[in-house]
Structures are given as structure tokens and as C-alpha cells.
Amino acid sequence: MAVSMRDLDPAFQGAGQKAGIEIWRIENFKPVPIPKSSYGKFFTGDSYVIMKTTASKSGALRQDIHYWLGKNTSQDEAGAAAIKTVELDAALGGRAVQYREVQGHETEKFLSYFKPCIIPQEGGVASGFKHAEEEEHQTRLFVCRGKHVVHVKEVPFARSSLNHDDIFILDTKSKIFQFNGSNSSIQERAKALEVVQYIKDSYHDGKCEVAAIEDGKLMADAETGEFWGLFGGFAPLPRKTASEEDKNVDSQPTKLYCVEKGQAEPVECDSLTRELLETNKCYLLDCGLEMFVWMGRTTSLDERKSASGAAEELLQGADRSKSHIIRVIEGFETVMFRSKFDCWPQLTNVTVSEDGRGKVAALLKRQGVNVKGLLKADPVKEEPQPYIDCTGHLQVWRVNGEQKVLLSAAYQSKFYGGDCYIFQYSYPGEDKEDYIIGTWFGKQSVEEERASAISLASKMVESMKFLPAQARIYEGNETIQFFSIFQSFIVFKGGLTDGYKNLIAEKEIPDETYQEDGVALFRVQGSGPENMQAIQVDPVASSLNSSYCYILHSGSSVFTWSGNLTTSEDQELVERQLDLIKPNLQCKPQKEGAESEQFWDLLGGKSEYSSQKIGKEAESDPHLFSCTFSKGNLKVIEIYNFSQDDLMTEDIFILDCHSEIFVWVGQQVDSKNKMLALTIGEKFLEHDFLLEKLSYEAPIYIIMEGNEPPFFTRFFTWDYAKSNMHGNSFQRKLAIVKNGGTPIKDKPKRRTPGSYGGRSSVPDKSQRSRSMSFSPDRVRVRGRSPAFNALAATFENPNARNLSTPPPMVRKLYPKSITPDPTNLAPKSAAIAALTASFEKSSPAREPIIPKSLKVSPAPVSPSSKQESNSKENSMSNRIESLTIEEDVKEGETEDEEGLPIYPYERLKVLSTDPVTEIDVTKRETYLSSEEFREKFGMSKDAFYKLPKWKQNKLKMALQLF
């Protein structure tokens, strides 16, 4: 579609360049931007254009454009809003979804922008605005409808307005009453309380009483009597009569129309298919509650305006004011639109989208407009974080038939692709020990053992009163939490269980189970020592990939192979995995393109192989769904712009992150549905409600309310006090409203349950250090720095042969604070001092690389030396304290002491709508000003960096900076 100067209204120039909401009011048929302080305030006599710009994780910007029509707006202004919406979309490259919003019948997506509600005010720009603050407070009655978002409508202040089905809010000068109809749900009552809080804050400065009135309690208490007294006394309520608003318009059959010269002509067809839509035409799809306008990519701006007008006429003629008009562009159709067709291809080639946007950007640039946001933004590159404490205790069982066999620490990270496993991991959480119990299914495992693993794991969870999070993991779809828990993970071919042996016997296929003295090829992958894997693949050249390193062994011959696209970090992981697979053998390094004949002979000769890195499903923008499961059928409703307050304790929700899903189960969900949580997750993957090609083998986490792990809460601004309150949703929110908007902390003291099977949840020293399950006879010392070798020589046996790498340095995420025993450190002080001095001389400074797994034998220390040591520590403590005071004085300066740029907190948050790019995302807090740092963290930067690392990370997570 061509874009010319006349198509661009000056008010829209520069719009949609960054994430957020922008609003224009139609004044004299022209869009006029309104100040941000007025966002959410709508007048019944006006029309508005509202645009929500969202930045995806990939960096791309997308827009949803709505035009809102007040009940008293003129027909001409409404028409102008509709046309300006089309023009705004054209200025943005023609890819936005456009919605018509009629007062009282707004879409849930629109209302989610202005939570908890909008309450339109009388008046408008044409008649002059009313200023409520200048008038005497008037008693008003509102009806509230909605379980997830609330439609609020003012009704006459009379007893006849009340009924048993809805919830009503009576706003008087000194008190706000919420009347709960006897047929209303707990969730609707809870959501209405958010409106009460909004009215209390907006119209009473947060200073008024709140009372909840239950339908049917008559004059049971003083507040009930006071409520009915305002209506002239109690009298039975009439039954609710069906109004025009309650009529269902979604029951009519779906019809397709083609718009020709402004007229909608029916399209005759037996079934709806994508082939019916031609790229040079516009179509109407009438689905009852939704009227879709589909606009082909090559249609003109006038044709699109004409199609929108035809949709308006079609609804006006049938008096369907409740129906929504949704306009979509070819190639950017919504899930709802595509789901109406019997056949819709997964991919549609759109070749002009970026080109069109580029032309618009060039046009605006000539006018002096900053067009950075119109083009695809650079994605924010962040290393995935596990958001879990990795210093916990791990137990692993292999499933054999209907039994599970506990594995020793040396074998608990070595899995076979033909078997199933159960793992239980306990780790320090928020004021208690947290747990994950999960299952892992190998690609060649049998269905019977998978079912047995699920059953056994579910019994473990149930025996621990549903406290643990539960995970279902398939081989090849492991999550970063899984890899971080196991740290060094190996998958061998074949299996050891009866199920696998019976499978290969039945199918008469060769047994590929790994043999230590046989030929085996392993692909090595991962991001570091705390997240590395070795996956056994077919020992043929076609299994190689230029983006990976490999280990090949046959008997006593060991080779390592490094692809040309690998990094030094990848090659270091190979050395570490050798300590697990072949710890005592010297290897022969091979570089891609310079392999020996022996190497190729073991692989059966040369052949073609890939250079593309095996792609993991990228984490996409999360979507939250409310779920209802009945008689095997799953019904879901998407919750837009979700927050923690949307999670109701009576319901089950699914958080869809594409690469994995979370099934959140409220405390008040009945026990039968709790047991069906995994089934609900599997049904969700089967249905693929967002048509995003979800894999049935995508990881599923089951999360119980009150025990949410950090890798779930990171998608919200989380308040643990809310998730640990007692009562149903309404009772909890009523307590919060009456407490001034602050949740009442009510955490019951729980005895930390022991791990399943009678084992202690507190592991012994050898179990706690899970990274030490390596060969005790390790002798490699390859790849050390000179400083490291100088120190290691002091620790190690001088007679040992230097043939291999040092023990892996496993970086613990959120490690516990451990006070070292000074008796273990004295004999090595000279070596440590020498190493420290070598680091201090180097520039820039580097973190120490002493492996945590090095063992130091204790040595006796005399009492006098202990006193001297304590005296030095006290002296150093006083010195540090005085330095801290000096540093605090420096923090008043405007320039960061490290010379780093300073950004506001809102742009540094992980889920920021306007994120900062080109920063070190692992140290977001360093870019805060000293004043804002102290405000957020309650301490200076100097004091913060003296905290243990795990405490730093917990504070950063709480502030969404990690």
C-alpha cells in the first residue's frame, strides 16, 4: 500500500516508536494527544484513539490500535475516529490490529490497559468538561461484571437496580459498600474489590471506610442495616430480567462478505479456507460478537476505509452495538481470526512488510522525526538464567517397571536414553526449604515406564502435601533449571531397565547401550561449568557439527574434535567432560579440517555434516490463561497484561512461555483437579490454543500456590505476602482493602518435610557438593594459567603427573554464606598472597579462578595466633567501616564512580517496557544512580557489594534486576 504525505496526520508523527500507551481524543474531527496524567479518564461525549505498543523479546515492536466511542459521541466523531485509526496503522507500516470499542462493551484486552477499570465521566470536549473535584460528592451506584476484567457501569441509585446475579458498589461520602449478589462468584467479588480500592484512592484520597454486604443476610449486622437504610429499608429484590445487553449475539452462523465499491456482498462457500481471501480485496467475517475486517496487503488506504465503513453499516442495520469490529492485515492475522477457518496454512509469505515500514521510516526521517522505533529494534542479548539456588541437595532414581532405584552421587547425572528417571531437588527458598520433583523421559523409553514414573513422582508430591513444584521433562527439551540442577549432565545411548531390553527384543533391533570400551561419540554443549552436557550420538561423521566440540573414544584411544565455529569456552567444556567420561586417559586433540586418518576411520570415513547450531526454542513473550477442565474438555480464556492479582486461589492458570509451560494451581482448587494438573497441561499442549506449533514434549511445570519458585515468579512483580494469605480470593482482597492496600502477612509455620523415602533433607558434606562426583583419580592439569599453576603446585601432590585439567570450577548461583575455618587456611597463606598479588598487578582486575573443589588438609593453629587473627579482623572491620562512610559521601556526586552511564530504574528492570540496550545485563544495578540505588536497596552500593553473592542475587531478583 502506497503511503503519501496526505495520509499522515501531524498528530501521529513519531507515534509507536517505543513500548507503552498513547492516546488521542478526536476534537473537531482531528486527533489531539492527551497528557499522560489523563490516561484512563474517558468522557461519554467523546471519541478516542488508543495505541498500545509492545516490545517483544526479539526486539520487534508491534501495535494494537483501539478507537473508543462514548455513548454520547456524535456519529461524525465516531466516523472520524475509525478513519484516523486506519491512517495511524498505515503510518506504522500496515501491520497493527485495530479494534472498535463501544462504551460498556469494551474488549477484555482494552480494559486490561486500564486495570482495574474505567469509569467514564459525563460530558465531553464539545459540551465542556465537568470537574468532579470542584463539585460536592454525589452518592453513586455502580454495577460490576467480569471475572478477569471488570466492566463498570453507573446505574440509577435505587433498590430496583439491584439483583441477585451481579455485584454493586455504592459510593457514599464517608463509606463505600460492596453488595454481593447471592448468585455471583467469589472471583467476581474479588475483582470488584479492586474497583472499590480504585474508587477509594481516586475519589476519597484513600480515606474512607469499606463494607461488604452479603445478599440474603438481611439486617444481620450494623453495616448491612446501614446499607439498606440508604435505600429506604430492606425489601425483597426482584429477579433479574434479560436486557438488551444480556442477549447473546454469538449464536449466529459465521458469514464471509467481500467488499466491492463500499458494499458487502456474501461469499458462497461450503467451508472457510484461506484460499478464499484475495490479496487485492477486503473482506468481512461476521462471527456474531466479533466482526472481522480482513484487508489484503495490496489494497489502498481508501479501500480499507471503505471496508471499515461497510462493517459499521452492517452492525448498525442489525442494531448490534455490542459486537466488536476487529481489523486485521494480511500476514498479521490474530489467532482468533485464523481459528475461525477450517483450513489455514501455518506460514504465509509476506514480502513487503519490512520494505513498507522502511519506506514509511524514510518519509518520516525527511520530516525530522526520530524513526528509531519504526524499524525492528535490536534484540536484548541476555544469557538465560536458571533463577534457582544451585547449592541444594539432589537425589535421582531410575524407574524399572513399577519400581524406582536410587542412584549413587557418582551416577545421578548419567542418564540413558532408553530409561526414565525421577529426580528430587531441595534448595533454600523464601524462609523455608523448597523442592522440585520431576520426571525425565529418554527418547527411547517405553510408555509403561513413563506412566510408572509419573505415578511414582505424583505420589511423592502428594506425600509432601503438594509442596514441591513438579516437572515433566523429555530428552532434548530440558530446561535451564534442569541443567543447572544437574550441572554436568551426560546422556548415554541405550538403556539398563527391563522395559528397554524387552523393547529391543520385541522389535529385534540391535542393543546400542553404551560400552566403556566400545566406539562412542559425544556432542558437548552448554554455557559453562554449571551448565554443561555431553550427549552420545551415532559414531558417524554426519553427526559432527562445526558449531560444537566432540569427544570420540574407542578402547584406550580418546580424541577431542573442535568445530571451526566453536569458542575457547566450548573447548574448555570438552576438557571438563573428559573428567567424567574418560578421566585417566590422554586425548588427541583434533581441529576441524586437520583430522588424522585414525579419527576418520573410527567414524567410518568422511561425509557431509552440518554447521548450524542446534536451535533451542527461544523463550517468547508469556501468555496467561485461566483454565476450566470438565469431562475431558479444556476451556481457556487469555488474561491480557496479567499480574499476580489475576491468579485466583479457586482456579487453575497456565503460563505459556512457548518453550515451556507452567500450570499454577490455587490453594482452594479441589483435590481432584489438583491431581489432574499434569493432564490439564498436556491437554493445553495438544490444543495449541495460540496456534504457535507447541510441542507435546515441551516441559511442563506444576506450581502450587504458596510455593512458587523464583523461575515462575520472575514473570510477575511478585509479593510473597499475597500468595501466603489465608481464605478465598474475596476474603484476601477484602483484608487488603481494609488494611489500606497492604497484604497482611499470614505465613503459617511449617515443619520442613523430609525428602521422600525417609532420607534427610539436609545432606551430608559429600552430598551437598554435587559437583564433586568426578573421578577420584583425576590427574589432568591441562589449560592452567601460570598464576593458577603456582598456587596449585602448593596444594597438589608434587609426584602427581600433570596430564589433565583441574577439577571443574562450578560456579554456584546464589551460594549460601559459609564462614571458612581459619585452621584450614593458615598453611596456604603464602600461596594465596602470591596469587592475589599477581591479580592486583594485572589490569583490568579479574575474579579469582581457584576451583572450589580443591581440598585443603587442616593444620593446627595456636591460641595466640587465633587471637592475633581476631585482632586483625577487628582492625580491618573498623577500617572498612570508616571507608564505607567516606564512600557514602562520594555517592552524592552526579557521575558514577566507575564512569558508567546512569539510567532510571524503570528502564533497567528485566521486564521493562523501554529497556536499556548495550549494558552488562548481569550487573544492571551498577547503572543506577547512588541516590536511586539507596532508595531501592536500602543501602549504599559499597554496603551491597559486601553482602554474600546469594543475598545480592535475592535482592536483585526482588527488584527485577536479575
Side-chain angles (χ1 to χ4, degrees):
M1 180 187 65
V3 180
S4 62
M5 285 291 295
R6 64 183 179 83
D7 297 327
L8 297 173
D9 194 291
F12 293 147
Q13 290 187 8
Q17 296 189 40
K18 61 181 181 179
I21 293 178
E22 297 169 84
I23 302 178
W24 298 264
R25 180 171 51 235
I26 302 299
E27 298 181 9
N28 296 321
F29 312 114
K30 294 287 185 181
V32 177
I34 66 172
K36 290 186 182 295
S37 59
S38 297
Y39 284 11
K41 297 179 182 178
F42 296 92
F43 288 86
T44 60
D46 288 333
S47 298
Y48 297 80
V49 175
I50 302 97
M51 179 168 67
K52 174 67 181 295
T53 301
T54 306
S56 67
K57 286 187 177 292
S58 66
L61 297 177
R62 64 175 182 82
Q63 287 83 19
D64 289 293
I65 307 175
H66 307 253
Y67 60 103
W68 185 88
L69 309 178
K71 65 179 182 180
N72 298 324
T73 191
S74 69
Q75 196 64 39
D76 290 338
E77 280 193 347
I83 291 173
K84 291 301 177 183
T85 301
V86 177
E87 292 180 4
L88 176 57
D89 173 53
L92 291 168
R95 60 174 63 185
V97 180
Q98 305 157 46
Y99 304 81
R100 183 187 77 155
E101 310 285 352
V102 177
Q103 181 182 341
H105 306 292
E106 296 87 352
T107 62
E108 292 198 355
K109 174 174 275 194
F110 176 80
L111 291 177
S112 73
Y113 304 153
F114 308 103
K115 288 183 177 179
C117 65
I118 60 171
I119 302 178
Q121 302 177 40
E122 292 294 328
V125 66
S127 58
F129 298 106
K130 294 182 179 180
H131 299 283
E133 62 271 18
E134 298 174 1
E135 300 176 357
E136 189 70 22
H137 187 279
Q138 293 183 346
T139 299
R140 297 185 296 171
L141 182 65
F142 302 95
V143 61
C144 299
R145 297 188 179 102
K147 180 178 175 181
H148 304 297
V149 293
V150 188
H151 288 82
V152 180
K153 179 183 178 182
E154 186 173 356
V155 293
F157 174 33
R159 186 192 295 109
S160 58
S161 296
L162 304 175
N163 61 61
H164 299 294
D165 299 319
D166 296 319
I167 296 159
F168 295 84
I169 295 173
L170 181 62
D171 177 22
T172 70
K173 186 174 184 179
S174 60
K175 186 179 286 189
I176 303 173
F177 298 87
Q178 177 170 315
F179 176 81
N180 300 320
S182 56
N183 297 332
S184 62
S185 69
I186 292 173
Q187 296 93 322
E188 289 173 316
R189 299 176 187 188
K191 276 295 173 186
L193 277 172
E194 294 179 10
V195 179
V196 170
Q197 183 70 55
Y198 170 78
I199 293 173
K200 180 180 177 182
D201 294 338
S202 301
Y203 301 103
H204 299 269
D205 296 323
K207 300 173 184 177
C208 73
E209 294 182 49
V210 173
I213 309 300
E214 296 299 323
D215 182 14
K217 282 197 174 181
L218 304 180
M219 312 296 282
D221 55 57
E223 288 181 333
T224 303
E226 183 182 357
F227 173 79
W228 287 113
L230 294 169
F231 289 92
F234 174 79
L237 298 180
R239 287 188 177 182
K240 182 180 178 181
T241 57
S243 64
E244 288 297 319
E245 296 181 0
D246 301 316
K247 290 181 180 178
N248 185 11
V249 297
D250 202 23
S251 56
Q252 66 181 62
T254 301
K255 295 179 182 178
L256 181 66
Y257 298 86
C258 179
V259 180
E260 298 279 359
K261 297 180 180 180
Q263 299 297 317
E265 301 293 337
V267 176
E268 300 297 332
C269 58
D270 295 328
S271 62
L272 288 175
T273 62
R274 170 64 180 83
E275 289 70 25
L276 293 171
L277 307 178
E278 299 179 28
T279 190
N280 60 343
K281 295 181 180 180
C282 294
Y283 295 83
L284 308 182
L285 186 66
D286 187 358
C287 304
L289 188 58
E290 298 92 18
M291 171 72 78
F292 291 96
V293 181
W294 184 90
M295 296 172 282
R297 291 297 303 179
T298 61
T299 54
S300 67
L301 184 62
D302 288 337
E303 286 175 320
R304 297 181 183 186
K305 291 178 180 179
S306 179
S308 299
E312 297 272 2
E313 290 180 11
L314 206 60
L315 294 184
Q316 288 174 6
D319 193 19
R320 288 164 49 189
S321 60
K322 190 177 180 180
S323 295
H324 304 129
I325 294 178
I326 304 173
R327 300 193 288 243
V328 296
I329 309 295
E330 179 184 2
F332 301 95
E333 296 87 354
T334 64
V335 172
M336 186 183 297
F337 178 82
R338 286 181 281 144
S339 67
K340 304 294 183 182
F341 286 73
D342 300 320
C343 180
W344 191 277
Q346 288 290 344
L347 294 174
T348 302
N349 292 326
V350 181
T351 58
V352 297
S353 58
E354 286 298 337
D355 181 57
R357 179 164 287 212
K359 289 179 180 178
V360 174
L363 177 62
L364 293 178
K365 191 173 183 179
R366 288 197 297 271
Q367 300 173 8
V369 178
N370 180 2
V371 297
K372 181 179 178 182
L374 282 179
L375 299 175
K376 185 176 180 179
D378 292 331
V380 179
K381 294 181 179 179
E382 292 190 27
E383 280 294 322
Q385 298 292 332
Y387 296 94
I388 189 171
D389 190 309
C390 297
T391 63
H393 175 47
L394 176 67
Q395 289 179 289
V396 181
W397 295 263
R398 181 185 294 115
V399 176
N400 193 357
E402 297 181 357
Q403 305 297 321
K404 66 182 192 297
V405 180
L406 181 66
L407 303 183
S408 65
Y411 292 94
Q412 64 185 12
S413 62
K414 299 177 180 179
F415 286 16
Y416 286 81
D419 297 338
C420 296
Y421 296 82
I422 298 172
F423 62 92
Q424 175 178 302
Y425 181 64
S426 59
Y427 60 98
E430 281 284 313
D431 76 0
K432 61 177 174 55
E433 197 83 350
D434 282 341
Y435 295 85
I436 296 178
I437 293 176
T439 54
W440 183 91
F441 302 148
K443 289 181 178 179
Q444 295 178 291
S445 60
V446 296
E447 199 59 47
E448 292 78 10
E449 288 185 338
R450 293 180 181 183
S452 180
I454 290 290
S455 176
L456 291 168
S458 297
K459 288 177 181 176
M460 293 167 66
V461 172
E462 188 177 3
S463 72
M464 296 173 71
K465 299 182 179 178
F466 296 99
L467 293 180
Q470 190 173 350
R472 189 210 69 174
I473 309 289
Y474 278 86
E475 179 185 352
N477 289 276
E478 295 87 354
T479 64
I480 189 170
Q481 291 82 28
F482 179 88
F483 283 145
S484 297
I485 289 170
F486 282 86
Q487 298 186 352
S488 298
F489 186 65
I490 302 176
V491 179
F492 296 112
K493 279 181 166 290
L496 304 178
T497 63
D498 296 336
Y500 174 75
K501 293 175 182 177
N502 293 335
L503 174 68
I504 62 174
E506 289 175 9
K507 295 189 174 181
E508 298 181 350
I509 56 178
D511 186 356
E512 296 182 325
T513 302
Y514 172 73
Q515 301 294 328
E516 287 188 8
D517 57 352
V519 178
L521 180 65
F522 294 87
R523 183 181 69 247
V524 178
Q525 60 192 40
S527 60
E530 76 287 349
N531 173 8
M532 58 181 182
Q533 305 89 45
I535 312 298
Q536 187 179 358
V537 295
D538 293 333
V540 293
S542 58
S543 296
L544 299 176
N545 188 310
S546 301
S547 297
Y548 294 92
C549 295
Y550 290 78
I551 297 171
L552 173 66
H553 75 70
S554 175
S556 59
S557 299
V558 181
F559 296 86
T560 61
W561 185 86
S562 302
N564 288 333
L565 301 179
T566 59
T567 64
S568 58
E569 289 82 4
D570 296 328
Q571 292 154 22
E572 181 186 348
L573 295 185
V574 171
E575 299 294 331
R576 298 183 182 279
Q577 289 290 10
L578 278 172
D579 289 323
L580 297 171
I581 298 172
K582 288 292 181 181
N584 302 316
L585 295 176
Q586 182 65 278
C587 73
K588 302 172 185 177
Q590 308 282 305
K591 287 287 293 181
E592 183 177 3
E595 301 88 351
S596 66
E597 288 298 325
Q598 186 184 4
F599 175 82
W600 289 122
D601 288 344
L602 288 176
L603 294 179
K606 294 183 180 181
S607 69
E608 295 291 326
Y609 53 83
S610 175
S611 61
Q612 296 293 320
K613 199 148 192 172
I614 299 171
K616 276 279 186 183
E617 286 285 359
E619 187 180 86
S620 63
D621 299 311
H623 297 261
L624 184 68
F625 296 87
S626 171
C627 302
T628 305
F629 189 64
S630 177
K631 298 179 180 179
N633 296 317
L634 179 63
K635 180 182 179 182
V636 301
I637 298 174
E638 184 168 4
I639 312 298
Y640 300 101
N641 298 295
F642 60 83
S643 68
Q644 182 183 357
D645 289 333
D646 291 310
L647 300 175
M648 297 288 187
T649 187
E650 297 80 16
D651 293 330
I652 293 176
F653 292 82
I654 288 180
L655 185 67
D656 176 10
C657 303
H658 186 69
S659 58
E660 60 194 6
I661 67 168
F662 297 84
V663 182
W664 183 91
V665 183
Q667 290 179 0
Q668 307 239 347
V669 171
D670 63 76
S671 57
K672 180 182 176 182
N673 281 332
K674 281 183 180 179
M675 297 299 293
L676 291 173
L678 180 58
T679 302
I680 290 173
E682 291 174 335
K683 286 282 186 183
F684 182 88
L685 293 177
E686 285 178 16
H687 285 287
D688 191 14
F689 291 96
L690 290 179
L691 304 180
E692 54 182 343
K693 293 186 177 179
L694 276 180
S695 168
Y696 177 77
E697 296 184 356
I700 299 175
Y701 284 106
I702 300 171
I703 310 295
M704 294 294 168
E705 183 186 11
N707 296 282
E708 294 88 352
F711 54 88
F712 173 79
T713 60
R714 71 188 182 95
F715 295 103
F716 303 80
T717 301
W718 197 261
D719 185 345
Y720 281 96
K722 288 182 178 180
S723 63
N724 285 283
M725 292 180 72
H726 287 302
N728 61 39
S729 299
F730 173 71
Q731 292 166 340
R732 295 182 190 186
K733 292 202 174 178
L734 182 61
I736 292 174
V737 170
K738 288 192 172 184
N739 195 42
T742 305
I744 301 171
K745 294 184 179 181
D746 190 11
K747 293 187 178 182
K749 291 185 178 180
R750 292 187 293 227
R751 180 178 64 84
T752 303
S755 59
Y756 187 82
R759 291 182 170 266
S760 169
S761 64
V762 182
D764 60 36
K765 188 175 181 180
S766 63
Q767 289 173 316
R768 174 67 71 176
S769 182
R770 294 181 292 105
S771 60
M772 289 300 297
S773 59
F774 302 98
S775 169
D777 302 320
R778 178 184 291 105
V779 290
R780 285 196 182 87
V781 199
R782 189 168 47 245
R784 295 175 170 180
S785 67
F788 185 93
N789 284 330
L791 179 66
T794 309
F795 286 90
E796 294 182 346
N797 181 354
N799 298 320
R801 294 169 58 214
N802 294 340
L803 298 175
S804 181
T805 57
M809 180 187 71
V810 178
R811 178 173 65 84
K812 299 291 188 181
L813 302 181
Y814 320 151
K816 290 184 174 178
S817 177
I818 301 173
T819 304
D821 185 353
T823 62
N824 292 344
L825 303 179
K828 311 302 176 186
S829 58
I832 293 174
L835 179 64
T836 305
S838 71
F839 285 145
E840 289 174 347
K841 291 176 184 177
S842 63
S843 179
R846 296 174 60 190
E847 294 182 3
I849 57 172
I850 305 172
K852 296 181 181 179
S853 52
L854 290 174
K855 297 182 179 179
V856 182
S857 58
V861 179
S862 65
S864 61
S865 65
K866 285 186 178 180
Q867 292 174 3
E868 184 179 78
S869 174
N870 290 337
S871 174
K872 288 181 179 179
E873 287 177 9
N874 292 335
S875 174
M876 182 61 70
S877 176
N878 294 334
R879 187 177 173 190
I880 290 172
E881 187 173 337
S882 65
L883 288 173
T884 303
I885 295 172
E886 293 176 13
E887 289 298 319
D888 288 347
V889 174
K890 290 180 182 178
E891 285 182 3
E893 298 174 4
T894 56
E895 185 177 356
D896 183 79
E897 59 191 28
E898 295 182 8
L900 295 173
I902 292 175
Y903 298 99
Y905 166 72
E906 291 298 327
R907 295 193 65 196
L908 290 170
K909 292 193 303 182
V910 174
L911 298 179
S912 172
T913 56
D914 183 21
V916 181
T917 58
E918 299 180 359
I919 62 170
D920 183 350
V921 295
T922 65
K923 296 181 179 179
R924 296 173 183 271
E925 75 284 355
T926 60
Y927 299 93
L928 288 170
S929 67
S930 298
E931 292 78 9
E932 193 164 19
F933 189 102
R934 185 181 291 277
E935 176 189 344
K936 297 297 182 185
F937 286 88
M939 66 185 78
S940 67
K941 289 185 179 181
D942 186 64
F944 174 80
Y945 289 115
K946 289 187 176 72
L947 296 174
K949 195 71 174 177
W950 69 273
K951 280 192 176 181
Q952 293 180 22
N953 288 331
K954 278 203 170 185
L955 288 170
K956 287 158 66 174
M957 286 180 62
L959 292 167
Q960 296 187 52
L961 293 172
F962 187 80

